[in-house]
Amino acid sequence: MPAPTESVTVSAPAKVNLFLRILAREESGYHGLETLFCAVSLADTVTVRRGAPGIRLVVEGGVDTGPTERNLAVRAAERFHRELGEAAAVDIHLTKRIPSAAGLGGGSSDCAATLRALNALHGQPFDRAALLGMAIELGSDVPFFLCGSPLALAWSRGERLLSLPPLPARPGVIAHPGVAMATPDAFRRVAEQRGGGYQPRSRSIPIEQLTDWNAVAALAENDFQPVVAEQIPLIAAAVDALRDAGASVALMAGSGSSVFGVFGEAAERDGAIERLRGMGMSVWAAETLENEPDVRVDPIGEVG
Ligand code: C5P
């Protein structure tokens, strides 16, 4: 086994979907999607280093991440070592800031960051295509966090990805109503409401226009939103408050239950933060990202 010489730290950003269309429920049981992912600066941090045989996970931060064996960072490490053909001997340190079951892709991002960090720790044995192949087995949102850009279109379950040039960073806000929404439940509600029917695309996506926040704002929609907002009325009220405060995009994030707004000016965003806090929500200021987060390699003893 190579000497334990270093630790690798990767930021694991949250995502929002600037639009999200749910198409048919396919034979696999999964729904075909068409979505525009955008990474934001609210982020967890994943640090990996070589350790005793096995996979150990330490989680810091007040976010419930469920049982260790089902944690997506742990499952990423298992999958990575199976592909590598080596027994795992790794410590994973996860600092959680992204709320769970919030539509922000926190677990998926931790999973992708773990794959990136382990790949760096082992001297980059896998190229991006190989990592993407492992990613889609681990979860639908995981490939996006490995695609190399903070902005990407995705189709199908999320394994068909088109990385786009990032949009200029914009001030944003994320707010959580305090009620979780599990992704399978949100899909089930949509399927029940549609009676299994196919929802055609409302319009084709002008990919060449996705270089501009105005064009993105004109497309912004989320098919989950009306269905989940029926269960959690605070979502609709929060989206209205974001719009009133000047957000150019104001939507529920993914399958919920958090909402987000993108603003032209930080002052507008700050006004929205006050209003959402006044509504009893947990609120985070966050910028949209212009770059994929770096992988940081540290000598042991400087774990961040
Ligand atoms: O792939 P992931 O584990 O994130 O998906 C969780 C659940 O959400 C799936 O088991 C499925 O019920 C539902 N899902 C879906 N269509 C998708 C993604 C997820 O129906 N495209």
Side-chain angles (χ1 to χ4, degrees):
M1 194 175 68
T5 51
E6 58 199 19
S7 69
V8 179
T9 298
V10 185
S11 172
K15 61 81 182 162
V16 295
N17 303 73
L18 297 171
F19 68 75
L20 194 166
R21 301 280 301 151
I22 306 168
L23 307 174
R25 185 170 180 275
E26 299 174 4
E27 293 311 314
S28 62
Y30 280 85
H31 292 77
L33 301 178
E34 185 167 54
T35 190
L36 180 61
F37 282 115
C38 180
V40 298
S41 60
L42 174 65
D44 297 339
T45 308
V46 174
T47 298
V48 300
R49 64 185 127 173
R50 294 179 198 278
I55 300 168
R56 275 156 311 282
L57 175 70
V58 174
V59 183
E60 204 183 298
V63 179
D64 177 22
T65 53
T68 297
E69 67 282 5
R70 294 195 51 212
N71 187 283
L72 277 167
V74 172
R75 292 184 42 214
E78 288 167 355
R79 184 68 191 83
F80 181 92
H81 287 91
R82 183 145 44 89
E83 197 72 23
L84 196 64
E86 262 184 35
V90 65
D91 293 332
I92 304 171
H93 192 278
L94 179 55
T95 305
K96 283 299 295 180
R97 300 180 193 88
I98 306 170
S100 301
L104 296 168
S108 301
S109 189
D110 298 344
C111 183
T114 304
L115 291 174
R116 291 184 74 206
L118 288 172
N119 207 35
L121 192 71
H122 286 267
Q124 311 288 351
F126 301 118
D127 62 13
R128 195 186 298 281
L131 293 177
L132 285 168
M134 293 180 230
I136 191 60
E137 290 176 23
L138 291 159
S140 300
D141 288 344
V142 183
F144 162 64
F145 293 107
L146 290 164
C147 80
S149 173
L151 188 74
L153 278 166
W155 294 272
S156 193
R157 268 184 66 202
E159 72 275 29
R160 286 172 49 213
L161 275 166
L162 181 67
S163 300
L164 297 171
L167 291 163
R170 280 280 178 94
V173 60
I174 291 169
H176 193 275
V179 186
M181 174 53 65
T183 301
D185 292 344
F187 274 110
R188 196 163 40 244
R189 283 180 206 284
V190 171
E192 277 165 14
Q193 204 174 73
R194 288 182 178 173
Y198 174 66
Q199 184 85 5
R201 287 177 172 79
S202 52
R203 56 194 141 160
S204 58
I205 301 161
I207 295 177
E208 68 289 347
Q209 288 173 23
L210 297 177
T211 50
D212 177 292
W213 274 109
N214 290 331
V216 169
L219 284 173
E221 62 177 339
N222 179 349
D223 282 352
F224 279 116
Q225 191 172 308
V227 180
V228 176
E230 238 173 55
Q231 303 295 313
I232 309 173
L234 195 49
I235 289 171
V239 166
D240 287 346
L242 285 163
R243 284 222 187 85
D244 287 350
S248 58
V249 179
L251 285 175
M252 191 176 78
S255 55
S257 57
S258 60
V259 297
F260 72 95
V262 178
F263 294 84
E265 304 291 333
E268 293 172 330
R269 184 260 306 271
D270 295 345
I273 289 174
E274 247 176 66
R275 291 185 62 169
L276 294 166
R277 290 213 169 112
M279 294 165 73
M281 301 186 86
S282 304
V283 185
W284 297 265
E287 277 66 49
T288 64
L289 293 187
E290 284 184 347
N291 296 106
E292 180 183 52
D294 291 336
V295 172
R296 197 184 84 210
V297 180
D298 292 308
I300 214 87
E302 294 182 25
V303 178

